[in-house]
């Protein structure tokens, strides 16, 4: 009798997920063993986002962002809760643990509520359309349908509706046959155009303002969650 109970208890303990082990297996390759980060991989130590709001942090790990891969299909709720609890309490970080229930709730929220303040004139849609027609329509078409095989459609395009930062980088720097607009179009006009293409022809993503363009132009990061996937199968990069 006593032997059987002891064996049961030992078995129960072995099912606990160790956050440090998940971190070592899944995160350390980029963020480094001690969370110090390296090159494009941000430090997770002394990081206000890591120690901040639980929902945004869980959502980032589930859904990814630019170079940060999504873990929704790789890690279950218990493993994500464990690894984030570890990251929030290791290396001098000091934030509350995250439980499995919180991860389950964020996972169930298909569209996490993201509040983004933008500073745009009231007639941004009209002005954005005019600027789009003048600057972009020659290639992508007045209706955003592009020309198959030459110029991609911007209508119902996941990349256009994804990370505002990734979109602005393509507009500022160009890509393959797409010219760079950093030298010829100012921040306000790029903001109007980006906001327009993200809301026209069935697209639905939050608008972009001149300050955001200025940050990306300066090489900075926009700390915004993507509204839809940021990569498009078959995209050139
Ligand atoms: C393949 C490399 C890679 C792996 C693996 C990876 N990350 Fe990331 N992570 C990144 C990159 C790149 C960014 C910056 C993304 C951006 O610029 O928006 C990032 C950003 C983050 C951020 C946001 C930091 C901030 O200041 O905004 C957190 C938190 C984070 N990762 C946690 C994790 C955790 C936890 C794991 C393991 C479950 C993990 N990452 C695995 C590459 C990675
Ligand atoms: C001279 C023709 C031309 C003009 C003008 C032009 N583009 Fe493009 N654009 C292209 C080409 C070609 C590509 C495909 C690049 C590639 O294959 O990576 C492209 C790609 C894009 C993409 C990426 C689409 C995707 O699915 O990956 C976006 C977004 C975009 N253009 C928006 C714009 C906007 C907004 C303007 C106006 C500011 C504009 N383009 C002006 C030719 C043009």
């Amino acid at each position: 009798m006593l032997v059987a109970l002891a064996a049961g208890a030992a078995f129960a303990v072995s099912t606990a997920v160790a956050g440090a082990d998940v971190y070592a297996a899944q995160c350390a390759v980029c963020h480094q063993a001690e969370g110090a980060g390296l090159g494009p991989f941000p430090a997770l130590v002394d990081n206000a986002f890591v120690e901040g709001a639980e929902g945004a942090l869980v959502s980032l790990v589930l859904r990814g962002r630019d170079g940060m891969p999504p873990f929704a299909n790789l890690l279950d709720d218990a493993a994500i809760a464990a690894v984030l609890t570890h990251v929030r309490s290791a290396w001098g970080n000091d934030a509350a643990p995250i439980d499995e229930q919180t991860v389950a709730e964020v996972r169930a929220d298909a569209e996490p509520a993201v509040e983004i303040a933008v500073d745009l004139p009231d007639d941004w849609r009209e002005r954005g359309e005019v600027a789009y027609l003048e600057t972009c329509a020659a290639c992508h078409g007045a209706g955003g349908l592009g020309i198959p095989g030459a110029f991609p459609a911007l209508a119902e395009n996941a990349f256009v509706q994804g990370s505002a930062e990734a979109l602005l980088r393509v507009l500022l720097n160009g890509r393959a046959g797409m010219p760079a607009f950093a030298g010829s179009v100012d921040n306000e006009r790029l903001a109007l155009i980006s906001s327009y293409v993200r809301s026209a022809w069935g697209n639905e993503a939050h608008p972009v303002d001149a300050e955001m363009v200025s940050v990306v132009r300066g090489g900075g990061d926009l700390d915004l969650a993507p509204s839809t996937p940021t990569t498009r199968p078959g995209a050139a990069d």
Side-chain angles (χ1 to χ4, degrees):
M1 283 294 215
L2 283 171
V3 172
L5 278 174
F11 183 73
V13 168
S14 73
T15 62
V17 183
D21 292 346
V22 179
Y23 182 84
Q26 302 289 346
C27 320
V29 60
C30 294
H31 295 286
Q32 306 298 293
E34 302 293 309
L38 181 73
F41 309 120
L44 304 181
V45 183
D46 255 346
N47 179 318
F49 183 77
V50 169
E51 297 189 82
E54 296 181 0
L57 179 61
V58 170
S59 178
L60 171 72
V61 173
L62 283 168
R63 301 182 174 98
R65 187 176 71 200
D66 290 348
M68 165 77 184
F71 284 92
N73 298 330
L74 287 171
L75 299 176
D76 65 14
D77 296 345
I80 290 180
V83 73
L84 288 178
T85 295
H86 170 70
V87 165
R88 278 158 71 91
S89 63
W91 320 305
N93 285 346
D94 186 15
I98 290 182
D99 61 26
E100 217 179 309
Q101 179 61 27
T102 302
V103 179
E105 282 165 14
V106 176
R107 191 190 284 271
D109 252 346
E111 292 277 308
V114 186
E115 282 185 27
I116 295 168
V118 286
D119 182 11
L120 283 170
D122 290 342
D123 58 349
W124 64 267
R125 238 177 249 276
E126 295 77 8
R127 289 172 61 187
E129 180 174 14
V130 170
Y132 172 83
L133 291 172
E134 288 170 1
T135 314
C136 322
C139 296
H140 294 288
L145 295 176
I147 296 177
F151 306 116
L154 304 183
E156 294 180 19
N157 178 316
F159 179 79
V160 170
Q161 298 172 82
S163 154
E165 185 179 321
L167 173 64
L168 291 171
R169 268 196 235 112
V170 166
L171 299 186
L172 287 164
N173 306 328
R175 192 179 73 194
M178 159 90 172
F181 289 98
S184 57
V185 183
D186 68 17
N187 294 344
E188 194 196 352
R189 193 171 160 93
L190 272 179
L192 291 169
I193 292 174
S194 306
S195 299
Y196 174 71
V197 301
R198 284 162 70 85
S199 67
W201 322 304
N203 289 341
E204 215 175 310
H206 69 77
V208 170
D209 65 16
E211 174 59 25
M212 294 176 187
V213 183
S214 160
V215 168
V216 177
R217 190 189 285 270
D221 297 333
L222 294 182
D223 200 10
L224 309 172
S227 35
T228 58
T230 55
T231 51
R232 173 178 68 90
D237 69 352

